[in-house]
């Protein structure tokens, strides 16, 4: 049955001139049918200059939206248009405006995990893998980091020469990790390294042996001589970690970390959107023009 769906997806990809991009957090069997698998930064780069006329984005809505903003001439399909990221809208246009009035040299730095609606107010976008480098490179002293307070606080810590103003958005999957959960697994697995995503709160990040994006975590564990790791990010990464490192062991935090929206993406939905052309992403031209600027600036600055 599953084998038949994979075959159907392969056939449809050729028929519709389509490629599939998948984030590490979608279910493993969906990652297995993808042409490009990665973290948000990798996927945003991969989405540019693809030859295929249709891109299927196996991820949440802001990811499909970014792909469409960067490729207006292409058809971008979302297998499930209700797969929203709750953090994507957690900032406020009026507050951004007030900040701009208060700080003359303000740079509004917007995590790519945000809606186009929000990106249009930003000077530059960042992802978890390039936020520190990009903020370092900005000429501005005052930075308003939206929407994620935790990634913002990690950047503030890493770039002390800047004045980083934090917003109050967060990713519920990472923000809910507690010290008690980390202590519990560390006591069960003494000496095992703890690898953490910077969307986790600062009090969790300080307990980590490595802090980085999903791709960073996968690369770190893959290059390491160590054989066991505790993973402090969404459990979808375990699939790629295990693919790349069949001889290593990965432990998730007690209770696990699951993004309900990412898990809405199933093989059947990928097949169906390819078959029927459903889930087309549309971004109106004015919004697209405005939100494209910070995205392109990120791609340029991160080169
Ligand atoms: P990265 O892909 O940048 O690691 O971000 C994680 C995330 O929360 C994606 O939704
Ligand atoms: Fe949004 Fe967090 Fe899910 Fe990523 S893991 S899509 S940031 S809720």
């Amino acid at each position: 049955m599953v084998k038949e769906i994979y075959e159907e997806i392969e056939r449809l990809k050729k028929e519709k001139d389509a490629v599939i991009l998948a984030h590490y957090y979608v279910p493993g069997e969906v990652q297995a049918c993808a042409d490009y698998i990665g973290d948000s930064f990798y996927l945003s780069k991969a989405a540019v200059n693809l030859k295929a006329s249709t891109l299927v984005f196996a991820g949440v809505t802001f990811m499909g939206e970014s792909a469409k903003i960067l490729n207006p001439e292409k058809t971008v399909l979302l297998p499930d248009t209700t797969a929203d990221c709750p953090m994507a809208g957690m900032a406020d246009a009026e507050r951004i405006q007030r900040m701009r009035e208060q700080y003359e040299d303000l740079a509004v730095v917007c995590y790519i995990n945000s809606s186009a609606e929000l990106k249009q107010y930003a000077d530059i976008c960042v992802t978890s893998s390039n936020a520190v480098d990009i903020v370092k490179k900005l000429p501005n002293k005052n930075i308003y980091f939206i929407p994620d307070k935790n990634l913002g606080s990690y950047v503030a810590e890493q770039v002390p020469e800047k004045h980083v103003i934090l917003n109050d958005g967060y990713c519920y999957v990472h923000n809910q990790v507690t010290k008690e959960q980390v202590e519990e697994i560390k006591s069960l697995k003494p000496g095992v390294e703890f690898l953490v995503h910077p969307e986790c709160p600062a009090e969790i990040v300080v307990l980590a042996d490595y802090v980085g994006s999903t791709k960073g975590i996968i690369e770190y564990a893959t290059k390491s001589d160590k054989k066991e790791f505790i993973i402090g990010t969404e459990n979808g990464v375990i699939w790629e970690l295990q693919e790349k490192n069949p001889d290593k062991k990965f432990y998730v935090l007690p209770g696990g970390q699951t993004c309900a929206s990412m898990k809405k993406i199933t093989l059947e939905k990928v097949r169906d959107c390819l078959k029927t052309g459903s889930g087309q992403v549309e971004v109106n031209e004015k919004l697209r023009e405005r939100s494209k600027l910070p995205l392109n600036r990120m791609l340029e600055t991160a080169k």
Side-chain angles (χ1 to χ4, degrees), residues 38-297:
D39 69 354
S40 304
F41 185 46
Y42 170 80
L43 293 172
S44 61
K45 281 189 297 183
V48 182
N49 299 328
L50 284 174
K51 285 204 181 76
S53 58
T54 295
L55 314 181
V56 174
F57 218 114
V60 289
T61 50
F62 74 76
M63 296 179 170
E65 213 178 41
S66 296
K68 182 70 185 175
I69 291 166
L70 296 167
N71 301 278
E73 75 294 348
K74 295 199 193 288
T75 301
V76 179
L77 303 177
L78 285 165
D80 188 325
T81 54
T82 70
D84 280 325
C85 168
M87 178 165 71
M90 288 185 187
D92 177 52
E94 279 175 28
R95 187 160 177 221
I96 296 171
Q97 188 48 38
R98 283 203 302 279
M99 289 294 174
R100 288 206 188 274
E101 284 158 18
Q102 198 174 337
Y103 299 96
E104 220 175 277
D105 78 325
L106 191 77
V108 177
V109 175
C110 186
Y111 191 21
I112 199 166
N113 297 23
S114 54
S115 61
E117 192 61 33
L118 212 52
K119 286 185 180 87
Q120 69 175 321
Y121 302 113
D123 296 301
I124 191 163
C125 285
V126 294
T127 74
S128 62
S129 60
N130 62 30
V132 168
D133 287 345
I134 286 185
V135 169
K136 259 187 203 160
K137 282 184 188 167
L138 290 175
N140 319 57
K141 167 88 176 163
N142 293 299
I143 309 290
Y144 183 30
F145 196 98
I146 60 169
D148 187 7
K149 63 177 179 182
N150 292 327
L151 182 60
S153 122
Y154 178 66
V155 169
E157 185 71 30
Q158 298 297 309
V159 195
E161 65 274 24
K162 303 278 178 185
H163 173 226
V164 181
I165 304 152
L166 299 179
N167 180 57
D168 49 13
Y170 59 90
C171 159
Y172 77 96
V173 180
H174 292 89
N175 193 53
Q176 69 195 1
V177 176
T178 63
K179 266 169 112 173
E180 289 68 31
Q181 286 173 313
V182 178
E183 276 155 15
E184 187 184 328
I185 186 105
K186 279 189 169 220
S187 69
L188 290 169
K189 306 287 172 197
V192 173
E193 285 194 347
F194 178 41
L195 318 184
V196 153
H197 197 283
E199 286 176 16
C200 288
E203 60 173 18
I204 304 303
V205 168
V206 293
L207 303 174
D209 298 287
Y210 171 80
V211 186
S213 74
T214 46
K215 187 166 191 271
I217 289 174
I218 291 165
E219 281 178 0
Y220 180 90
T222 304
K223 282 185 194 143
S224 171
D225 298 335
K226 305 226 162 60
K227 295 287 175 206
E228 294 180 277
F229 302 89
I230 302 165
I231 302 299
T233 189
E234 214 274 353
N235 57 27
V237 299
I238 303 295
W239 190 82
E240 181 75 2
L241 280 167
Q242 216 64 85
E243 279 279 307
K244 285 203 154 89
N245 305 282
D247 58 325
K248 296 185 183 177
K249 283 200 172 120
F250 301 100
Y251 307 108
V252 296
L253 295 171
Q257 284 177 269
T258 304
C259 174
S261 293
M262 290 285 191
K263 299 304 184 247
K264 282 183 173 179
I265 312 302
T266 62
L267 270 184
E268 287 81 358
K269 290 178 190 172
V270 171
R271 175 201 56 198
D272 293 348
C273 77
L274 270 169
K275 208 191 240 175
T276 64
S278 60
Q280 275 210 35
V281 181
E282 297 296 348
V283 182
N284 80 56
E285 196 47 26
K286 200 167 148 204
L287 183 57
R288 196 189 73 76
E289 280 298 330
R290 287 188 188 164
S291 49
K292 179 182 83 171
L293 297 173
L295 273 171
N296 274 337
R297 197 170 166 206

